[in-house]
Amino acid sequence: MVIIAASAYGSLSIVTTLGGRIGVGLLPLMAWRYALAAPILAAIAGWRELAAVPWRRAVALFVIGGGGQSLVTYFSLSALAWMPAASLGFLFYTYPAWVAIFAALSGAERLTPTRIAALGFALFGITLMVGAPWNLALPWPGVWRALLSAIIYALYIPLLHRLRGPLSPAAASAYLIAGAATIFLVAAERTGGALAPMTSIGAWSAAGTLAVYSTVIAFLTFLRGLEVLGAVRAAILSTTEPLFTAVLALLILRQPLGLPTLLGGACIVAAILVLERASPPTDELPHAA
């Protein structure tokens, strides 16, 4: 189940790229992704449970949770205009390293020698992929968007945990995704219209795939795997996500995997594996992109 979820999340950038190739921009594609996924998740959560959510918590999840979801999604997937999907997948997956850094800065966790070594290895992997600051191998606009999305998500995880409170992950995500849908629908309408590019079967197929496979199925399979395996083992298996992205980018998008991407990505995944063992995740919601 966790492997299926990882492949579903790993397909996000692939399907988004395919949508762009047939003329569907990021904003309308994400608007329909979330608009189609929200009622499905709401039905799974159950209307009684959703109606029983205190209105202040529901509004917070809708506005703050949906806003954070939108920021992570926009900055991560907009980086695809400048970099291959595999590079984005590995750079976004540095977010556990940022979580460890922020936890150390806040005093919530101690930076042990093992964690310091893992963080250094993750930074080395980023440098291998991106290049030195004075000689970038990837365009800077894509790099800062990918890393900023990882940083925002690292800050977003504890916020989600507080916003969710006693709610089930399904109920919390239904409100959150409805908020993201609203934000992207408004943004799409202000920049050309949400329906304007949705004129082909391919466009709706991309939106439907993102909604059903990359959102709903990804969410449900991750939760089921988490229930059976526990947080630590589920998190470790989830590190296959950027690997799925890299393989799908090669097979579907015909984007070659250069040696810097392979070596840098391997360093990042290895570092995250060490960090996941040293700092078991507490949040049960799958990642927000």
Side-chain angles (χ1 to χ4, degrees), residues 60-208:
L61 283 166
F62 186 89
V63 176
I64 302 174
Q69 179 96 1
S70 301
L71 285 175
V72 174
T73 300
Y74 176 76
F75 281 114
S76 62
L77 296 180
S78 65
L80 290 169
W82 289 274
M83 65 172 55
S87 299
L88 169 61
F90 286 120
L91 290 177
F92 177 79
Y93 220 80
T94 60
Y95 75 81
W98 298 108
V99 170
I101 291 172
F102 294 142
L105 291 175
S106 66
E109 290 187 16
R110 189 168 56 91
L111 272 184
T112 64
T114 300
R115 289 175 182 163
I116 292 173
L119 291 172
F121 205 50
L123 179 60
F124 177 66
I126 294 173
T127 304
L128 281 177
M129 290 180 59
V130 174
W134 57 87
N135 186 27
L136 290 175
L138 294 173
W140 176 241
V143 172
W144 75 256
R145 281 171 170 80
L147 291 177
L148 180 61
S149 67
I151 292 171
I152 293 173
Y153 186 56
L155 296 170
Y156 185 51
I157 290 173
L159 176 63
L160 272 181
H161 193 65
R162 290 195 297 271
L163 288 176
R164 175 186 153 195
L167 300 181
S168 70
S173 290
Y175 280 105
L176 183 152
I177 288 177
T182 302
I183 291 170
F184 274 110
L185 283 168
V186 170
E189 281 298 321
R190 292 178 63 88
T191 57
L195 278 173
M198 307 299 291
T199 57
S200 67
I201 295 176
W204 286 107
S205 296

Side-chain angles (χ1 to χ4, degrees), residues 2 12-13 28-29 34 46 61 67 76 82 94 130 150 178-179 191 206 211 214 219 240 260 263 268 273 275 278 287:
V2 174
L12 270 170
S13 57
L29 189 58
Y34 288 123
L61 283 166
S76 62
W82 289 274
T94 60
V130 174
T191 57
S214 300
F219 173 74
T240 57
L263 293 178
I268 290 170
L273 284 171
L275 286 172
H287 84 54

Side-chain angles (χ1 to χ4, degrees), residues 4 28 94 117 186 205 234 244 269 277 281:
I4 291 173
T94 60
V186 170
S205 296
F244 274 112
V269 170
R277 286 187 175 276

Side-chain angles (χ1 to χ4, degrees), residues 2 14-15 24 36 40 42 55 58 66 100 107 117 124 132 152 202 212 217 233 239 258 266 278 284 288:
V2 174
I14 308 301
V15 181
V24 186
L36 294 172
I40 299 174
W55 72 267
F124 177 66
I152 293 173
V212 177
I217 290 178
R233 285 189 291 174
T239 56
E284 293 184 358

